[in-house]
Amino acid sequence: MKKECVAMLLAGGQGSRLHALTSHVAKPAVPFGGKYRIIDFPLSNCVNSGIDTVGVLTQYRPMELNAYLGNGQPWDLDRTDGGVHVLPPYMREGEKGTWYKGTANAICQNIDFIELYDPDYVLILSGDHIYKMDYSKMLAHHKATNAACTISVLEVTMEEATRFGIMNVDETDTVYEFEEKPAHPKSNLASMGIYIFTWSKLREYLLADEADETSSNDFGKNIIPAMLNANEKLVAYRFQGYWKDVGTIDSLWDANMDMLSPENGIDLYDTEWPIFARTPTKPPHYTGANAHISHSMVTGGCVVYGDVENSILFHSVTVEPGAKVRYSILMPGTVVKAGAVVEYSIVAENTTIGSYAQVGAPPSDSAPEDWGIAVVAQGLTVGDHAVVAPKAMITSDVKGGAAK
Amino acid sequence: MMNKLHGIIFAYRSNPDLQELTQHRNTCSVPYGGRYRVVDFMLSNMVNAGMTDVGLIAHANYQSLLDHVGSGKDWDLSRKHGGLRILPPFSYADKLGDGTYKGRMDALAGVFSYLENIRQPYVCLAGGDLAVNLPLKEIYASHIESGADITAVCTSHPNGDPKNCDYFTVGEDGMVVDVAVHPKEPKGMESLEVYIISKDLLLEVVSHCSAHNISSFSQGVLMEMVRTGKKINAYRFDGYAARLQSVAGYFARSMELLNDDVRAQLFVPERPIKTKDRSNPSTYYGPDSRSVNSLVADGCIIEGEVENSILFRGVRVEKGARVSNCVLMQGTTIQAGVVLKYAITDKNVRINPGRMLMGHATYPLAISKNEIV
């Protein structure tokens, strides 16, 4: 059946800068904010914006992401007409076919899927951003300005602008130039990686780009410049509100911490724009007689006997008596044994921190260049009395240390 | 292999002693354990034993129950073949007039055509108002092995009110030799009113009781079986089981959940209790909050102090508020400076700033749904 707008969510990236956290899962499936995975944000935004047809383009380590999306039921995307569809790269007759070569190629390989719904517009999304956005307002803007492409932009500081793709615009916010990470930015409008295209236009440029063997088949590098060169109307849509790219350990940690302060970040408790997730049913969490919890989030199935400060505990985390967790993110099933201290760390799923182990340290304890968030990958054991230095990336078991 | 058991849950009872708690719902849909409705336990027990078809017998006051179970998808019971079926009293009113079922045999007679169409050879009958984590697979195996006509689950830890319970005297061979229905004092094993019986025998006893105008399962089936020398296999289950029969009893059963051992018996990892999913965020604890010896569901915002309490989803405890020995149901808001002790607040209750309210352990204060104090 015809849909006015179909969303295509790019979820194939490895997220190599998240390293230890993406050794088993694609970046969009990385747990976030106590109850969610990163992909829940764009998916929930789609549903809340009235978009009921979403293609999810997967490539790197898709198993867990596929299982997580399932039939789309947690997002009400289990539909007979539309719904969520996982779109991996595929082979074609004559043994043709490739992996997704770039973001534009990923969409190009799925033109048939898009045309099933005969859409007027296509919304392109990334699976690595945390934000709440009403895409229907952006679509209304796209229609009102009669643009071929609308790019959602965020106003950043001039200093930050050097790290983003920057849109240079005229007085009507029509884009005349796009610069990737400019050394001397002319504008502070950073692309958020969210595009709405008039489908007939995008289709034309995708096919032309595909025919160009020198192209790297990327939206930012190829499609947008090609459209600018051809004098197509590209419009910037100014977004106001919280938006964060969680592509690095630091930004992932920061964004999680932002969830503890709804006035600075996103209000997850707002029922007007809920973020949906697929979560197992766990009993309520239990706080022990000597538990101390402050400025933290705690999820079902957790058992807390020790101290938890400024931290986020996903479901089924155990903090034993005398253990201390500060400024840390503990993913589902983490066990922090008695007396252990976990500070400024991200601990991935089902990892056990042994008794009296020390993981991470506060920034004040080391020179700035040596300090960073410590990361322990999933399913590992950090032995009793072991020490994991700040900024460490732990991807195999750590032997126990000597008793102090 | 298709599972050989079909589940029937009696979900029509509204226990009058639960007062405010059953004003808007029947006993099965009373919230319990921080995020569940009582019926979740038996539904999950059946699903965890591999049952794919479950009939839920409802009568009056079942709107809240319907809203909760929906299509059954949260228990994987939304199926093309079988699955969850809500059984309202469709053929009952014509025959016996108005009024709720007088007993389980009436309820079964009321859904007789459904029973005839059951595609499994055995039926598990259970109340939806019992919070327990039962190994129904093992109980079924015990039924088959015993060669008995019926298997009845009972416990040696009586916790019900004798005037609402049945008791079994069990012989050395593990078979029931005597049944005491609603005695003054407990006598032997207390029945958990969970049974396994073959479909054929079930249809036979339902027809018999219907023809003889017998409403009570205990009298019409169990006592009759003892009298005629049929075999009743007593399956002893000594794990935790909570019956919710009065406001004080509800409060006591809730507080028992703060015991690690009780939770371990009720929330068995390999037999998870499932419930309706609501997509709540995690619970947030403010900088000056305190939460000790408490069970707290997701979606709460706690900025005050909570002690020895059970908090359901989406509860707010504002700064300076002190909550101890309370059960706060979904959406309760405790405003700044409130002191609340030994209270049960039903859904969406709001306690305005500075109020002090206290009940007693044996006589907890129950505040009805949507009330503002």
Side-chain angles (χ1 to χ4, degrees):
Chain A
M1 210 174 101
K2 183 175 173 64
K3 301 279 178 188
E4 186 189 30
C5 184
V6 167
M8 298 295 274
L9 208 163
L10 299 160
Q14 180 184 356
S16 51
R17 288 172 301 165
L18 292 179
H19 190 50
L21 298 177
T22 51
S23 56
H24 291 79
V25 297
K27 181 157 68 167
V30 169
F32 183 86
K35 259 258 163 97
Y36 311 96
R37 306 220 185 200
I38 295 168
I39 197 171
D40 289 327
F41 289 81
L43 268 187
S44 301
N45 286 340
C46 282
V47 175
N48 291 333
S49 304
I51 294 170
D52 61 21
T53 307
V54 184
V56 180
L57 301 134
T58 62
Q59 177 154 287
Y60 173 81
R61 285 259 181 207
M63 192 277 281
E64 194 159 327
L65 184 60
N66 291 351
Y68 184 70
L69 293 172
N71 66 350
Q73 187 260 317
W75 305 270
D76 280 336
L77 287 172
D78 53 335
R79 297 176 55 97
T80 1
D81 175 26
V84 68
H85 295 261
V86 173
L87 304 169
Y90 54 92
M91 296 304 291
R92 267 148 282 174
E93 65 285 355
E95 303 205 350
K96 283 190 194 132
T98 60
W99 293 104
Y100 291 146
K101 289 177 280 178
T103 50
N105 175 255
I107 305 297
C108 192
Q109 286 200 33
N110 289 288
I111 286 179
D112 289 348
F113 168 78
I114 295 171
E115 303 224 302
L116 276 180
Y117 299 99
D118 185 23
D120 299 321
Y121 309 100
V122 171
L123 169 66
I124 308 289
L125 300 169
S126 303
D128 46 10
H129 300 151
I130 303 298
Y131 62 111
K132 285 184 175 184
M133 180 172 177
D134 187 345
Y135 304 132
S136 70
K137 288 185 183 161
M138 181 173 168
L139 181 60
H141 187 76
H142 179 82
K143 289 194 270 185
T145 55
N146 204 20
C149 171
T150 299
I151 300 155
S152 186
V153 296
L154 189 73
E155 293 177 37
V156 296
T157 62
M158 278 306 196
E159 191 186 42
E160 288 173 320
T162 56
R163 296 191 285 113
F164 288 97
I166 295 296
M167 298 293 158
N168 297 325
V169 298
D170 67 12
E171 63 285 355
T172 64
D173 277 354
T174 300
V175 180
Y176 65 86
E177 191 185 23
F178 170 71
E179 290 181 291
E180 185 66 39
K181 296 179 184 151
H184 305 286
K186 291 176 216 154
S187 127
N188 67 338
L189 299 180
S191 167
M192 296 161 64
I194 301 163
Y195 310 98
I196 289 178
F197 290 94
T198 298
W199 172 236
S200 56
K201 289 282 180 197
L202 177 61
R203 189 178 192 282
E204 185 186 311
Y205 283 91
L206 284 176
L207 292 174
D209 179 66
E210 197 57 21
D212 176 2
E213 283 183 9
T214 62
S215 171
S216 48
N217 308 115
D218 184 85
F219 274 100
K221 286 189 197 116
N222 309 102
I223 301 288
I224 300 295
M227 290 179 87
L228 280 171
N229 283 338
N231 286 321
E232 296 286 358
K233 187 170 185 186
L234 274 70
V235 171
Y237 173 76
R238 290 173 192 252
F239 171 75
Q240 286 180 342
Y242 183 89
W243 177 87
K244 199 149 215 160
D245 183 319
V246 287
T248 64
I249 293 294
D250 286 354
S251 63
L252 181 67
W253 182 86
D254 275 347
N256 271 285
M257 290 298 144
D258 288 342
M259 299 303 120
L260 293 174
S261 307
E263 62 274 20
N264 303 331
I266 289 177
D267 185 2
L268 295 173
Y269 300 89
D270 169 23
T271 50
E272 298 290 303
W273 200 269
I275 303 300
F276 303 102
R278 183 187 294 277
T279 46
T281 309
K282 295 287 170 187
H285 69 263
Y286 176 73
T287 57
N290 299 310
H292 179 88
I293 309 173
S294 75
H295 196 50
S296 293
M297 272 181 173
V298 183
T299 313
C302 288
V303 183
V304 179
Y305 293 100
D307 290 3
V308 176
E309 268 173 52
N310 302 291
S311 294
I312 293 188
L313 272 53
F314 285 73
H315 75 78
S316 310
V317 168
T318 301
V319 179
E320 291 192 358
K324 291 181 170 44
V325 178
R326 299 189 190 105
Y327 295 94
S328 292
I329 296 153
L330 307 185
M331 292 185 183
T334 301
V335 177
V336 182
K337 296 272 190 189
V341 179
V342 179
E343 297 176 291
Y344 294 87
S345 297
I346 300 177
V347 181
E349 290 161 81
N350 301 317
T351 280
T352 299
I353 308 296
S355 299
Y356 298 96
Q358 165 82 39
V359 178
S364 54
D365 291 2
S366 44
E369 61 275 17
D370 297 333
W371 185 83
I373 301 297
V375 179
V376 185
Q378 68 178 72
L380 302 182
T381 301
V382 172
D384 295 351
H385 300 279
V387 176
V388 172
K391 213 176 175 176
M393 275 264 185
I394 303 298
T395 53
S396 55
D397 289 348
V398 178
K399 279 202 188 124
K404 281 170 206 162
Chain B
M1 191 190 78
M2 198 180 80
N3 195 287
K4 291 203 162 57
L5 269 176
H6 186 104
I8 294 282
I9 295 179
F10 298 96
Y12 62 85
R13 205 150 49 177
S14 280
N15 197 318
D17 291 342
L18 283 168
Q19 299 174 20
E20 288 87 349
L21 300 177
T22 47
Q23 202 176 326
H24 299 278
R25 51 175 89 90
N26 67 38
T27 310
C28 287
S29 42
V30 167
Y32 178 73
R35 68 173 297 186
Y36 306 95
R37 301 298 181 114
V38 190
V39 73
D40 292 342
F41 290 86
M42 203 51 78
L43 261 181
S44 301
N45 289 337
M46 289 182 170
V47 170
N48 290 336
M51 289 186 225
T52 56
D53 298 7
V54 176
L56 206 54
I57 304 183
H59 200 289
N61 224 348
Y62 57 79
Q63 192 268 332
S64 152
L65 181 70
L66 286 184
D67 176 52
H68 180 70
V69 297
S71 65
K73 71 171 190 281
D74 288 311
W75 297 266
D76 283 334
L77 286 174
S78 174
R79 298 171 57 93
K80 188 166 185 165
H81 294 290
L84 181 73
R85 193 69 65 83
I86 310 274
L87 305 168
F90 44 80
S91 62
Y92 183 70
D94 301 345
K95 198 170 142 224
L96 291 159
D98 293 333
T100 191
Y101 294 128
K102 287 183 203 74
R104 287 184 170 193
M105 296 320 289
D106 278 358
L108 290 166
V111 300
F112 195 76
S113 57
Y114 175 85
L115 300 181
E116 284 179 308
N117 289 322
I118 284 176
R119 50 184 188 148
Q120 291 84 0
Y122 293 92
V123 180
C124 173
L125 303 168
D129 49 3
L130 177 70
V132 65
N133 195 322
L134 278 181
L136 287 176
K137 211 179 220 169
E138 288 169 30
I139 297 170
Y140 170 68
S142 155
H143 177 69
I144 298 300
E145 199 189 336
S146 71
D149 296 289
I150 189 168
T151 289
V153 183
C154 53
T155 175
S156 60
H157 302 320
N159 70 67
D161 176 358
K163 77 174 189 323
N164 287 319
C165 295
D166 296 344
Y167 295 87
F168 301 144
T169 307
V170 181
E172 279 179 14
D173 59 351
M175 298 294 153
V176 174
V177 294
D178 191 25
V179 179
V181 179
H182 302 180
K184 281 205 175 69
E185 297 292 329
K187 183 174 173 278
M189 299 279 197
E190 187 178 299
S191 169
L192 291 179
E193 298 176 67
V194 175
Y195 309 101
I196 290 177
I197 185 170
S198 72
K199 177 193 166 183
D200 294 342
L201 184 55
L202 178 68
L203 290 176
E204 197 183 307
V205 297
V206 173
S207 301
H208 175 84
C209 288
S210 177
H212 293 83
N213 204 11
I214 301 168
S215 308
S216 156
F217 189 89
S218 313
Q219 283 166 0
V221 180
L222 298 179
M223 290 174 88
E224 183 69 10
M225 282 184 165
V226 170
R227 199 178 62 80
T228 56
K230 288 213 163 102
K231 281 172 81 181
I232 305 175
N233 171 38
Y235 183 95
R236 187 168 148 179
F237 174 79
D238 286 340
Y240 185 78
R243 285 163 182 274
L244 309 177
Q245 293 175 325
S246 65
V247 174
Y250 173 84
F251 185 75
R253 299 294 87 77
S254 294
M255 289 302 144
E256 282 162 5
L257 295 173
L258 296 176
N259 180 318
D260 292 351
D261 207 38
V262 166
R263 284 200 314 283
Q265 292 177 46
L266 211 45
F267 302 116
V268 182
E270 57 276 18
R271 295 197 304 266
I273 304 302
K274 296 181 174 172
T275 187
K276 183 174 171 177
D277 176 49
R278 285 192 186 272
S279 278
N280 290 88
S282 308
T283 280
Y284 171 74
Y285 286 97
D288 306 314
S289 68
R290 183 168 171 266
S291 168
V292 294
N293 191 35
S294 292
L295 206 53
V296 183
D298 285 350
C300 295
I301 298 183
I302 299 169
E303 294 180 291
E305 294 183 18
V306 175
E307 194 180 16
N308 309 329
S309 295
I310 315 262
L311 273 59
F312 284 70
R313 289 179 273 193
V315 167
R316 296 196 178 211
V317 179
E318 294 183 0
K319 277 182 189 153
R322 297 213 314 268
V323 173
S324 60
N325 303 82
C326 288
V327 177
L328 309 181
M329 291 185 191
Q330 194 182 319
T332 296
T333 302
I334 307 296
Q335 295 196 304
V338 166
V339 176
L340 193 66
K341 291 180 180 175
Y342 296 101
I344 301 168
T345 61
D346 207 322
K347 282 174 77 176
N348 303 321
V349 162
R350 194 175 90 209
I351 314 283
N352 281 341
R355 299 275 188 278
M356 269 178 87
L357 294 164
M358 272 174 237
H360 186 270
T362 56
Y363 200 88
L365 182 69
I367 303 168
S368 302
K369 191 172 167 181
N370 302 327
E371 290 285 337
I372 297 172
V373 178

